[in-house]
Amino acid sequence: LLRNNSTDLGEQGMWAMHNWIRQSLLANKSFDKFVRELITAQGSIYTTGPANYYRVHKDSSMLAEATAQLFLGVRIECAKCHHHPFEKYSQDDYYGLAAFFARTGTKNSEEFGLFGREQAVIVRDTGDVRSPRTNQVLQPRPLDGKTVDHPFDRRIPLADWLTDKHNEQFAKSVANRYVGY
């Protein structure tokens, strides 16, 4: 589900992610801590396994869609273009979730040599998401929640909300995945 493969991540990125997942399972890391580390990851894609989540899902829209589906069991792709009369989530919901990832990006790094093609996941000071309907900048907002921001990293309140013990969508999604397997 995390799309950890060498096609998307290259050999070094794939092994970094694999080793992080393996170590997390061996350490019996709680799933909420696992998700928190994944959502707030930054650093080298070769040495920080969860940073590869941002290499697979390259922009704020892809990250919002993957995060909602993986950890909430919700497919919000349709809300990117329109608010369907039978769907719960609107475009503002979609882009509010995407705003959490708008300041996350990658930069090239030469830590592993000029030809190593290493990248680092970074958090920028700027970057916003605009509503395609109104062209207004949308603030980060969890699904069914209120706007929230963070002075350094917008993903921190997202990780807090996602893994909160009162977030029933997260709990149901995790339980359904385990039961499904």
Side-chain angles (χ1 to χ4, degrees):
L1 297 174
L2 295 176
R3 293 179 48 193
N4 184 33
N5 61 67
S6 60
T7 304
D8 290 332
L9 302 176
E11 289 291 325
Q12 290 171 303
M14 184 269 303
W15 283 111
M17 182 81 142
H18 169 85
N19 290 335
W20 173 74
I21 293 168
R22 187 172 190 279
Q23 289 299 341
S24 297
L25 294 171
L26 288 173
N28 200 26
K29 185 181 294 179
S30 64
F31 195 64
D32 60 333
K33 186 174 181 185
F34 180 90
V35 171
R36 175 176 289 285
E37 288 179 16
L38 190 71
I39 295 298
T40 60
Q42 54 186 320
S44 166
I45 59 169
Y46 291 165
T47 59
T48 308
N52 285 286
Y53 185 65
Y54 292 88
R55 192 161 178 214
V56 171
H57 310 290
K58 297 177 182 355
D59 62 33
S60 60
S61 290
M62 290 175 72
L63 285 158
E65 292 171 12
T67 301
Q69 185 173 356
L70 285 170
F71 306 121
L72 300 172
V74 175
R75 296 182 66 98
I76 61 170
E77 290 88 350
C78 291
K80 182 176 185 176
C81 301
H82 62 279
H83 181 85
H84 194 280
F86 302 116
E87 294 292 331
K88 179 178 180 178
Y89 298 111
S90 68
Q91 277 187 314
D92 287 350
D93 294 318
Y94 178 95
Y95 289 101
L97 186 62
F100 284 108
F101 301 106
R103 295 185 179 177
T104 306
T106 58
K107 71 174 187 172
N108 291 331
S109 171
E110 294 181 13
E111 184 177 334
F112 289 87
L114 181 61
F115 300 105
R117 296 190 183 157
E118 184 215 18
Q119 292 181 325
V121 174
I122 60 168
V123 177
R124 298 186 200 107
D125 295 341
T126 59
D128 291 306
V129 172
R130 292 186 176 273
S131 167
R133 190 173 35 85
T134 63
N135 203 33
Q136 288 183 315
V137 172
L138 294 174
Q139 294 301 310
R141 185 169 55 90
L143 298 178
D144 301 322
K146 296 180 181 179
T147 61
V148 62
D149 208 345
H150 191 275
F152 304 112
D153 189 347
R154 290 178 164 181
R155 301 170 307 158
I156 292 171
L158 174 63
D160 291 343
W161 172 77
L162 264 177
T163 61
D164 186 272
K165 65 181 179 181
H166 301 294
N167 186 343
E168 291 182 14
Q169 287 178 300
F170 182 74
K172 285 180 184 177
S173 176
V174 173
N176 286 338
R177 290 213 189 277
Y178 279 114
V179 170
Y181 286 115

